[in-house]
């Protein structure tokens, strides 16, 4: 057969060299490629694949008829009979072709989740979180064929999950995200015809349906006494983990933002937040700690200010691993967020403080700024929030002890007559 170069003559051919699609169109139009032959070959290959994947034997009975089983939803399997082998094979191929054109909900979800990961729309950690949410909620429903599902089925399913698992509004939002995502993928592939957005807009769900897990203030923030003894201990025992915890106390940054700081991020009494740590399970089930080259949100890209009374912390940071790009490196590896959490838990035990996570330090910081009437724009810049309502709603807690609250009430003239 002649090579493609032998056809590259004349202006007409040159016009088709822009891309492979144009080359293919040219080859078909000139009779170089017989499209009907190619389609027949593809169809034959698909037929062979369907017959190969068929889990049941095809056999000829003593009466000359041909038999096999096909999967059946109610019976498990159903016996099929045809007069010729080709006829029974045709039925097998038709069955598996229909199944391929009607994938399971799980298959559509995997396609949607894989697609978003490949386009880097989501991180590996979000990818695995989506998988866990799907596995927890969809169960048997995930095995159903997508074309067999109606809007009512989806609405009933979503509403049933709330009382079944005692979902909070946030947990339900995560379930909605993956459900809407896989349905939109199905709609794009023309596997479903109903309006996905309309389905979610008409969900009969209110805030009162969700579980509320209220926590006391002492569970959420460090009060003055706890913060004093914690910071004093950190300053007196300033190793790498304690320095990371101290930096969270005085700046309110996220623990994932601290452990991936570089020396180049620091300038005078400020440092830039440009990345965060991520942690996820790989396909073997092992935890992987990695650096994500952007913070949690767009608002997370910021420059954080360190109080001048703690300027000495900058010098302490600079002395850590001066030959490494990253600051918080221990035994040749980046400090992980889990290491910081475990250290803080041990310190709480040691100092008699109610157990709190690094995120509770962040809530403490936000509460301190709000209590001291710091400018709202400065607060959201330090915290990396999009607006002040996020800080006020989710981070502002009462840090006063019972003794402090009693003293405040005792100083009110109206309560001094008793």
């Amino acid at each position: 057969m002649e090579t493609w170069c032998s056809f590259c003559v004349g202006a007409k051919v040159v016009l088709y060299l822009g891309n492979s699609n144009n080359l293919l169109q040219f080859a078909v139009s000139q009779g170089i490629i017989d499209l009907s032959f190619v389609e027949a070959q593809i169809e034959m290959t698909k037929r062979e694949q369907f017959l190969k994947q068929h889990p049941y034997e095809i056999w000829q009975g003593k009466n000359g008829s041909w038999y096999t089983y096909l999967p059946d939803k109610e019976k498990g399997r159903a016996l099929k009979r045809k007069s010729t082998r080709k006829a029974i094979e045709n039925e097998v191929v038709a069955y598996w072709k229909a199944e391929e054109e009607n994938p399971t909900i799980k298959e559509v979800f995997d396609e949607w989740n894989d697609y978003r990961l490949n386009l880097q729309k989501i991180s590996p950690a979000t990818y695995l979180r989506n998988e866990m949410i799907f596995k927890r909620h969809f169960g048997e429903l995930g095995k159903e064929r997508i074309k067999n599902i109606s809007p009512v089925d989806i609405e009933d399913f979503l509403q049933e999950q709330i009382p079944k698992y005692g979902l909070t509004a946030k947990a339900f939002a995560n379930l909605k995200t993956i459900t809407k995502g896989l349905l939109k993928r199905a709609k794009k592939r023309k596997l479903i015809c109903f309006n996905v957005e309309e389905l979610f807009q008409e969900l009969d769900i209110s805030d009162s349906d969700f579980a509320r897990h209220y926590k006391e203030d002492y569970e959420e923030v460090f009060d003055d006494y706890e913060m004093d003894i914690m910071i004093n201990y950190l300053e007196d025992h300033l190793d790498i983990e304690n320095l990371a915890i101290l930096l969270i106390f005085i700046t309110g940054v996220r623990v994932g933002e601290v452990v991936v700081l570089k020396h180049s991020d620091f300038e005078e009494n400020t440092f830039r937040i440009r990345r965060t740590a991520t942690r996820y399970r790989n396909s073997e089930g092992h935890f992987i700690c990695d650096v994500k080259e952007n913070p949690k949100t767009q608002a997370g890209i910021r420059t954080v200010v360190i109080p001048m009374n703690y300027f000495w912390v900058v010098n302490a940071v600079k002395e850590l691993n001066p030959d490494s790009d990253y600051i918080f490196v221990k035994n040749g590896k980046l400090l992980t967020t889990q290491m910081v959490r475990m250290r803080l838990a041990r310190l709480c035990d040691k100092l008699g403080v109610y157990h709190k996570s690094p995120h509770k330090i962040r809530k403490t910081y936000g509460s301190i700024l709000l209590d001291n009437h710091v400018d709202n724009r400065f607060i959201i810049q330090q915290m990396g929030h999009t607006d002040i309502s996020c800080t006020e709603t989710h981070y502002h807690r009462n840090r006063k002890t019972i003794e402090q609250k009693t003293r405040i009430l005792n100083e009110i003239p109206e309560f001094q007559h008793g």
Side-chain angles (χ1 to χ4, degrees), residues 58-213:
I58 296 175
W59 76 93
Q60 186 176 28
K62 293 181 180 180
N63 60 358
S65 296
W66 287 84
Y67 298 87
T68 191
Y69 289 102
L70 288 178
D72 185 272
K73 189 173 182 179
E74 295 180 0
K75 301 176 184 178
R77 64 179 187 174
L79 183 65
K80 300 296 177 180
R81 171 187 170 184
K82 293 292 178 181
S83 58
T84 65
R85 183 181 184 93
K86 185 174 182 179
I88 199 72
E89 286 183 350
N90 286 346
E91 183 148 351
V92 168
V93 170
Y95 174 85
W96 290 114
K97 186 176 181 180
E99 290 292 289
E100 184 182 66
E101 294 170 354
N102 186 16
T104 65
I105 293 176
K106 174 66 163 61
E107 289 168 342
V108 177
F109 164 77
D110 287 338
E111 181 182 318
W112 168 77
N113 208 26
D114 290 344
Y115 177 74
R116 288 178 63 79
L117 180 66
N118 291 337
L119 290 183
Q120 297 183 348
K121 289 180 175 289
I122 58 174
S123 67
T126 302
Y127 176 87
L128 289 168
R129 186 186 67 193
N130 290 345
E131 282 195 332
M132 289 188 289
I133 294 170
F134 185 92
K135 184 177 180 181
R136 180 190 188 198
H137 292 283
F138 277 83
E140 289 300 313
L141 182 64
K143 300 175 185 177
E144 294 290 333
R145 298 287 167 178
I146 190 72
K147 290 184 179 179
N148 303 340
I149 296 298
S150 71
V152 174
D153 294 329
I154 297 296
E155 183 174 353
D156 289 347
F157 160 74
L158 289 172
Q159 296 204 70
E160 289 164 2
Q161 300 307 297
I162 299 172
K164 182 177 180 179
Y165 291 98
L167 296 183
T168 62
K170 182 177 180 180
F172 183 70
N174 291 335
L175 174 59
K176 272 206 314 183
T177 296
I178 68 165
T179 306
K180 185 184 286 189
L182 73 88
L183 289 177
K184 282 189 171 183
R185 186 68 183 172
K187 184 70 180 286
K188 185 174 288 188
R189 288 186 54 192
K190 296 182 171 54
L191 299 173
I192 58 175
C193 58
F194 55 84
N195 189 314
V196 177
E197 289 294 343
E198 189 176 282
L199 185 159
F200 282 89
Q201 287 170 5
E202 294 182 355
L203 279 177
D204 185 19
I205 293 172
S206 65
D207 290 342
S208 61
D209 294 329
F210 300 117
R212 299 178 187 276
H213 303 309

Side-chain angles (χ1 to χ4, degrees), residues 269-286:
N269 66 316
T270 68
F271 58 90
R272 293 178 295 276
I273 299 294
R274 296 294 184 270
R275 67 196 74 83
T276 190
T278 183
R279 182 172 179 258
Y280 59 92
R281 289 184 187 272
N282 62 13
S283 56
E284 287 78 38
H286 301 132

